[in-house]
Amino acid sequence: MRLRIPEPVSAGIILSYRCSGECRHCMYACSPGWREGRLPEGRLGRMLEGLRGRLVGAPGGGIGINYGLHLTGGEPFLNFGLLLRAVRRAAGMGLPSTFVETNSFWCTDEETTRERLLQLREAGLRGLLVSVNPFVVEHVPFERVERAVRVGSEVFGENVLVYQPFFYHLFRRLGLRGTLSFERYLELFGSRSLLHAELLPMGRAVYRLEGVLGELYGRRRAEDFFGESCLRELTRPWHVHLDCLGNYVAGYCGASPWGRRRTWRGSSPGWTWRRGPSWEPW
């Protein structure tokens, strides 16, 4: 049986699995320990060419999580040169609603933040997504997150997404400065507040957040899912990913967690297709 995958309407390119931090909930188990695994220029070009003419832009020429193209990781700003080249090539091919995701670790001062965002805007980037949640602020001082949002709004106007805004406003009301341990977060706000985090039971979360996930969603046996199907999730055409190793990563299925990083042996985790039966992006 061949699994037919529809053409994507929105997609992300994972430039690298290397990250500045090691978030407990990360579905890809990214960390500073990943070897670079940099995306080759030729593969990047083939990916972008394969997406040309297929992606749907956000209404009004803006950006949206499930529209157009996003550049992600890992942490894309760890290799700013690669990020800048990817933006230029995407813009040159006319790919719509291109934005980059970041945890803001690099926003150490106003000048650096503004300079890099202006470079990206001039290269053709349309906007910015800033990640903020209890796991990011364990290793990224919250003032850097605020700086990314503030300066990003000056550079991109309304094309700045905060993901998730619940935690951004929560930490602002708290007057948070510096970082906050997850244990202290739970003392202050309790585990029920994590329902705003859209936690997916896969990747590192199933090992580092086992107790929290069980408390929030209950515990089920594997046999309970034997009659279920992940077909719809695994063949969805929106917010799919193409990774730096050449894999096509479709939707997410919580019943098939990706396991520990050491078991992957250099390959991308998850359900992947190098050449989809319905279309060939590279």
Side-chain angles (χ1 to χ4, degrees):
M1 176 181 176
R2 300 186 71 185
L3 180 62
R4 300 198 65 81
I5 304 171
E7 293 186 0
V9 296
S10 66
I13 293 182
I14 298 173
L15 299 178
S16 171
Y17 285 108
R18 186 166 168 259
C19 190
S20 60
E22 192 169 321
C23 290
R24 305 185 193 213
H25 73 315
C26 183
M27 66 178 65
Y28 301 122
C30 299
S31 77
W34 274 88
R35 64 178 182 272
E36 180 61 22
R38 187 167 58 189
L39 178 58
E41 295 288 336
R43 181 178 294 156
L44 172 62
R46 291 191 295 274
M47 287 178 173
L48 294 173
E49 185 62 43
L51 294 172
R52 191 210 297 249
R54 291 184 164 94
L55 304 186
V56 177
I63 64 171
I65 290 178
N66 295 321
Y67 289 98
L69 174 72
H70 62 278
L71 301 170
T72 186
E75 172 51 54
F77 281 84
L78 281 173
N79 190 334
F80 185 71
L82 175 61
L83 172 60
L84 191 60
R85 291 193 297 275
V87 169
R88 285 176 178 149
R89 298 190 71 169
M93 293 184 184
L95 291 168
S97 302
T98 302
F99 65 94
V100 62
E101 301 179 358
T102 184
N103 65 22
S104 310
F105 87 97
W106 55 278
C107 299
T108 55
D109 58 72
E110 300 279 324
E111 182 179 358
T112 300
T113 305
R114 183 172 289 102
E115 178 183 353
R116 290 189 175 182
L117 293 182
L118 284 172
Q119 280 185 267
L120 290 169
R121 188 185 70 180
E122 291 169 4
L125 193 71
R126 299 303 304 274
L128 178 71
L129 182 148
V130 180
S131 296
V132 54
N133 55 58
F135 311 106
V136 167
V137 297
E138 280 204 280
H139 58 90
V140 177
F142 183 61
E143 52 267 35
R144 299 188 189 183
V145 175
E146 288 186 300
R147 183 175 294 118
V149 174
R150 182 177 64 254
V151 178
S153 297
E154 294 172 6
V155 173
F156 294 109
E158 295 182 354
N159 285 347
V160 174
L161 304 175
V162 177
Y163 186 79
Q164 288 96 359
F166 172 84
F167 296 109
Y168 180 72
H169 296 299
L170 183 68
F171 295 143
R172 291 198 73 185
R173 289 196 300 270
L174 182 64
L176 179 60
R177 286 294 175 266
T179 57
L180 180 70
S181 73
F182 185 60
E183 290 74 20
R184 179 57 177 158
Y185 172 87
L186 291 178
E187 291 177 3
L188 290 171
F189 304 109
S191 61
R192 298 294 295 177
S193 65
L194 294 172
L195 291 172
H196 295 274
E198 295 185 295
L199 291 176
L200 297 177
M202 58 203 321
R204 188 177 288 125
V206 296
Y207 302 103
R208 297 288 299 277
L209 297 174
E210 180 182 2
V212 171
L213 291 174
E215 181 180 340
L216 293 178
Y217 305 118
R219 297 177 183 274
R220 303 282 296 276
R221 301 171 304 166
E223 292 83 356
D224 294 337
F225 298 96
F226 285 176
E228 303 292 329
S229 172
C230 293
L231 182 63
R232 182 176 179 181
E233 289 84 356
L234 294 176
T235 58
R236 74 182 194 191
W238 49 273
H239 206 92
V240 303
H241 290 92
L242 315 179
D243 81 354
C244 54
L245 302 173
N247 297 300
Y248 183 98
V249 185
Y252 311 124
C253 176
S256 56
W258 292 343
R260 300 179 187 271
R261 174 189 165 220
R262 67 170 177 266
T263 67
W264 298 341
R265 298 181 181 178
S267 296
S268 172
W271 293 78
T272 58
W273 294 265
R274 290 191 179 276
R275 295 187 182 274
S278 299
W279 67 291
E280 296 188 358
W282 59 91

